[in-house]
Amino acid sequence: MRALVLATLAAAACLHMAPAFADPGHHPGGFDYDPPEPGTYRLPPLAPAADGTALDETGAVRGLHDLMAGRVTVLGFIYTRCGDVCPLGTLMMRDLHEATAADAGLAAGVRLVTMSFDPGYDTPEVMAAQARALRAPGGADWQFLTARGRPELEEVLAAYDQRVLRKADPDDPGGPLAHQLRVYLIDGERRIRNIYSLDFLDPRLVLADIRTLMLEDAARH
Amino acid sequence: METVGGLLRRFIGAAGLLLATAAAPAVADETCMSPFMPKITGQEDYVYVWTLGVEGMGDGSDKLVTVDVRPGSATYGKVIASASVGSRNEAHHGGFTDDRRYFWTSGLDTSRIFVFDIHTDPARPKLERTIEDFVEASGGVVGPHGAYALPGRMLMSGLSNAKDGGGRTALVEYTNDGRFLAAHWMPTAEDPRGAEIESVADGYGYDQRVLPRKNALLTSSFTGKSNYMRDFGEMLKDPEAMKQFGQTVVLWDFHERKPRKVFHVPGAPLEIRWAWGPTHDYAFTTTALTSKIWLIHLDTDGEWKAKAVADVGNPSDIPLPVDISLSADDRTLFVDTFMDGKVRVFDVGDPHAPKQIYEETIGKQVNMVSQSWDGRRVYFTTSLLANWDKKGADNDQFIKGYDWDGKRLHHRFTIDFNAEKLGRPHIMRLGAASLYAN
């Protein structure tokens, strides 16, 4: 199991060697289009973002709503033993984080939250290792959470419609759990404004959406 | 008495293949699913058939019928469940949510949307809720058609509008839990909304399909309620009605939901299928009245273009291509034609030059074709619209299951929906219990 974690982190480390996402000619993840101009389109609220509690990488109890207050939040659910979509999703989050490091406004106005749905394995210590490998200096706050326990986890997963199933083969090379990658864009009023699957998790697109929400907020105030 | 086929030929001949059309709804299979949901890449367990009720037949209501297709099952090729909605709504198309737990089905007449719970008992779907606000919430869109899964939401195409019952319509978005989000009206000549118009912009709708890596959405065009609820033979005799058919395919900036280019595709382009290959920047559609396969493609000059690439049968016979199904390897395209009840299979390895490689008569009429992801099994149903289906002895209503060996079809089962008093079978979706096993 440890090897899988290391593989995930190694994949993340490889990202540092990839062409910079800030390069306008670089299309990450096979995405082949020019990203939209922020503020030129609408992101209608989909639903209130649910609250819940979790443990951060130090083992402290954190409330999801507290983490969302006053910032644009990008929340994704993963598990570190995943050998399938989670590493790719994590790389996209890493790209996004790197972009916030290059923009003081983004660094101050955005929070990334990565939450594990595999608390039996993903202890705060494991999540801390993820954090150390992935955080870019000067980037937006990036929290690495895991569940306090099964009831609290089930409550959060149900609220976000994040389905997680145990695979019939626990030794499946893709990991023991089946799930869809869903990443949520949440505005400062704790409303879900977009949901990304892996097909949409283009960091340039997420960044445009974040800036769209920031422009919207600036216009309101 | 003149046949419907004769009427069609006479009208289209007289009009010089004007841009009017008589079309035909269709859709669906594992290889045409939204890219945002889990796929059944192996053997499916069930085929869910959204079935239009027939007055005086059974309970007369629309229903979701479950067919067992598990090899070796004692009930293989049989109906094992039926969930009635208790009313008749012109049952037509539908689609799963992105988590594949719910099946959204719609009624073109009443504009109701019926949401079935598939995951609790995949063999016996249950109606969970009915969405009644489609017309009011959308600002007058009528005839919810295809239901296309996006992450956490459903993108519904409309076919008509409440103002005049014509073909001008919109795309309508809902959250997965049934809350209206937005309506995006199709571009017209009067209101192009920034789109480049190749020739005409009719504002009509039919199918909607996304290619995420290109941020591209394609929509096609059919006809409004004043035509799709009308008797087919009567409509064919009405020249004004026959002018009211779609002739456009629209390319949208998907993320911004903004139309970019309106292609002129005469003859009611219906189903759209994007190729799956990671470098295959193209989609197919077929035109109902003009009987052609069209290719929408990114050309070498970096521009999206549309062109006719093959005939389906003899266009002057008006075979009416309806549903199409593209194999997961992008090499084989199944095309159903309603009037002659045939499926034609094309080798589309070169998408610019499809070549027919097989032809088989499925019944006196056929509409939908669905194939498994591995391409080994193919299913067909028959109904087009209540008032457009053939009459009397020609009114075949069935689902048929076949195996496909790459060269020919091998019949496996038939369920006669008339004999079973179920109604008119339309859209099919494949199900598997393993999707929900924990």
Side-chain angles (χ1 to χ4, degrees):
Chain A
M1 290 179 184
R2 186 68 185 164
L4 281 169
V5 175
L6 292 174
T8 303
L9 296 179
C14 285
L15 187 73
H16 291 290
M17 294 181 281
F21 143 64
D23 175 359
H26 174 53
H27 292 162
F31 297 111
D32 189 13
Y33 56 87
D34 294 328
E37 186 67 27
T40 62
Y41 56 95
R42 288 184 64 237
L43 292 169
L46 298 173
D51 198 4
T53 57
L55 302 178
D56 70 13
E57 67 202 70
T58 72
V61 177
R62 305 294 296 269
L64 292 181
H65 269 186
D66 292 340
L67 290 172
M68 296 169 190
R71 292 195 185 208
V72 175
T73 302
V74 181
L75 166 65
F77 296 96
I78 56 103
Y79 73 116
T80 66
R81 288 189 286 171
C82 181
D84 190 4
V85 296
C86 298
L88 293 171
T90 299
L91 293 184
M92 295 299 184
M93 290 284 272
R94 177 64 178 77
D95 262 352
L96 190 60
H97 191 244
E98 191 177 55
T100 66
D103 183 316
L106 288 174
V110 174
R111 174 168 284 128
L112 308 184
V113 179
T114 294
M115 180 168 174
S116 170
F117 46 71
D118 186 19
Y121 184 87
D122 287 337
T123 61
E125 292 76 20
V126 170
M127 299 310 287
Q130 289 272 309
R132 283 194 297 275
L134 292 165
R135 282 192 188 118
D141 183 57
W142 190 356
Q143 295 288 320
F144 288 81
L145 309 180
T146 192
R148 296 176 72 184
R150 188 54 57 178
E152 291 90 342
L153 176 63
E154 296 298 339
E155 193 174 317
V156 170
L157 295 182
Y160 284 91
D161 263 342
Q162 176 67 63
R163 298 276 294 165
V164 179
L165 301 173
R166 286 187 299 277
K167 292 180 182 174
D169 176 9
D171 297 322
D172 186 301
L177 303 176
H179 69 105
Q180 284 179 286
L181 185 75
R182 273 186 164 194
V183 174
Y184 299 81
L185 178 71
I186 299 164
D187 67 19
E189 297 177 46
R190 305 184 181 99
R191 298 176 300 179
I192 297 172
R193 302 296 294 272
N194 210 347
I195 304 173
Y196 311 96
S197 67
L198 202 58
D199 299 276
F200 288 122
L201 200 56
D202 176 350
R204 303 170 307 152
L205 191 68
V206 182
L207 200 59
D209 285 356
I210 289 170
R211 288 187 164 126
T212 294
L213 296 186
M214 288 178 143
L215 287 168
E216 180 185 290
D217 189 56
R220 211 172 28 244
H221 297 100
Chain B
M1 183 178 168
E2 193 166 20
T3 64
V4 166
L7 278 167
L8 267 172
R9 276 189 292 278
R10 184 160 60 85
F11 177 80
I12 294 170
L17 278 182
L18 68 157
L19 310 173
T21 359
V27 147
D29 53 321
E30 198 62 21
T31 62
C32 83
M33 304 284 275
S34 159
F36 314 119
M37 68 174 60
K39 306 290 186 299
I40 303 170
T41 54
Q43 171 70 49
E44 59 279 5
D45 294 335
Y46 311 112
V47 180
Y48 303 119
V49 186
W50 181 222
T51 301
L52 170 58
V54 176
E55 189 174 8
M57 180 182 286
D59 72 352
S61 293
D62 301 342
K63 51 184 64 70
L64 188 61
V65 172
T66 307
V67 175
D68 182 358
V69 293
R70 295 170 297 179
S73 167
T75 52
Y76 173 81
K78 308 287 185 190
V79 172
I80 56 171
S82 175
S84 173
V85 302
S87 58
R88 216 167 28 253
N89 307 271
E90 193 64 43
H92 206 76
H93 283 188
F96 295 122
T97 51
D98 67 319
D99 56 12
R100 215 164 169 143
R101 288 194 296 165
Y102 296 94
F103 188 15
W104 286 41
T105 62
S106 58
L108 292 181
D109 187 17
T110 61
S111 291
R112 291 186 181 124
I113 298 168
F114 302 95
V115 181
F116 289 89
D117 171 353
I118 300 293
H119 68 282
T120 300
D121 182 351
R124 293 170 188 77
K126 293 279 187 285
L127 179 63
E128 172 142 318
R129 79 166 76 90
T130 302
I131 297 172
E132 304 268 8
D133 73 345
F134 184 81
V135 179
E136 184 182 359
S138 65
V141 185
V142 161
H145 186 233
Y148 193 74
L150 304 176
R153 63 182 94 182
M154 295 295 278
L155 184 65
M156 310 287 295
S157 55
L159 290 189
S160 191
N161 67 79
K163 188 176 177 183
D164 62 9
R168 291 193 172 186
T169 193
L171 295 166
V172 182
E173 284 187 58
Y174 278 86
T175 61
N176 275 4
D177 57 4
R179 191 171 62 79
F180 170 80
L181 279 177
H184 314 283
W185 288 83
M186 300 291 174
T188 60
E190 300 81 24
D191 184 15
R193 299 175 49 216
E196 172 194 348
I197 299 173
E198 200 172 64
S199 175
V200 293
D202 50 29
Y204 285 25
Y206 183 80
D207 197 10
Q208 74 280 28
R209 303 278 157 174
V210 178
L211 183 62
R213 63 184 168 79
K214 288 287 184 186
N215 188 32
L217 162 70
L218 285 176
T219 56
S220 54
S221 53
F222 177 39
T223 193
K225 188 174 180 179
S226 58
N227 273 349
Y228 69 67
M229 290 305 295
R230 192 173 179 187
D231 179 83
F232 196 37
E234 291 296 316
M235 181 186 69
L236 294 174
K237 296 174 189 170
D238 181 348
E240 286 305 308
M242 292 304 293
K243 292 176 184 172
Q244 309 302 316
F245 280 87
Q247 47 185 311
T248 55
V249 166
V250 180
L251 174 72
W252 299 66
D253 180 312
F254 170 65
H255 191 71
E256 299 185 40
R257 310 289 200 267
K258 291 176 182 170
R260 292 301 185 215
K261 190 168 186 178
V262 184
F263 298 107
H264 186 209
V265 184
L270 299 180
E271 300 300 322
I272 297 166
R273 297 290 179 270
W274 284 108
W276 289 93
T279 61
H280 289 179
D281 300 333
Y282 56 85
F284 293 105
T285 186
T286 53
T287 48
L289 268 200
T290 47
S291 289
K292 293 185 183 302
I293 299 173
W294 280 72
L295 182 72
I296 318 296
H297 66 110
L298 187 61
D299 208 348
T300 51
D301 62 3
E303 292 291 319
W304 287 95
K305 294 176 183 173
K307 66 176 182 180
V309 289
D311 289 341
V312 180
N314 180 0
S316 64
D317 292 340
I318 322 295
L320 274 186
V322 276
D323 198 12
I324 60 177
S325 178
L326 180 63
S327 61
D329 64 4
D330 296 336
R331 297 199 63 84
T332 308
L333 185 72
F334 289 75
V335 181
D336 278 4
T337 44
F338 180 79
M339 294 303 290
D340 57 14
K342 288 183 176 180
V343 62
R344 293 172 175 82
V345 183
F346 290 81
D347 177 346
V348 289
D350 177 358
H352 295 269
K355 291 183 176 56
Q356 185 177 321
I357 57 173
Y358 182 70
E359 181 175 314
E360 175 74 11
T361 299
I362 304 300
K364 295 184 179 73
Q365 59 187 5
V366 68
N367 187 16
M368 311 297 292
V369 53
S370 294
Q371 67 178 303
S372 57
W373 182 262
D374 60 17
R376 295 176 184 169
R377 294 164 302 285
V378 188
Y379 305 95
F380 298 91
T381 56
T382 44
S383 180
L384 185 53
L385 287 158
N387 293 325
W388 290 24
D389 285 349
K390 293 181 179 178
K391 309 288 195 292
D394 288 339
N395 185 30
D396 270 349
Q397 297 295 352
F398 56 70
I399 177 174
K400 289 187 176 182
Y402 292 82
D403 287 345
W404 170 251
D405 66 7
K407 293 181 178 175
R408 58 191 309 107
L409 292 168
H410 303 276
H411 178 258
R412 289 294 175 253
F413 71 86
T414 299
I415 301 173
D416 184 335
F417 273 47
N418 284 328
E420 300 280 341
K421 300 192 182 309
L422 291 167
R424 303 170 187 267
H426 201 106
I427 196 174
M428 294 169 280
R429 286 286 189 260
L430 308 185
S434 59
L435 289 170
Y436 316 106
N438 197 1

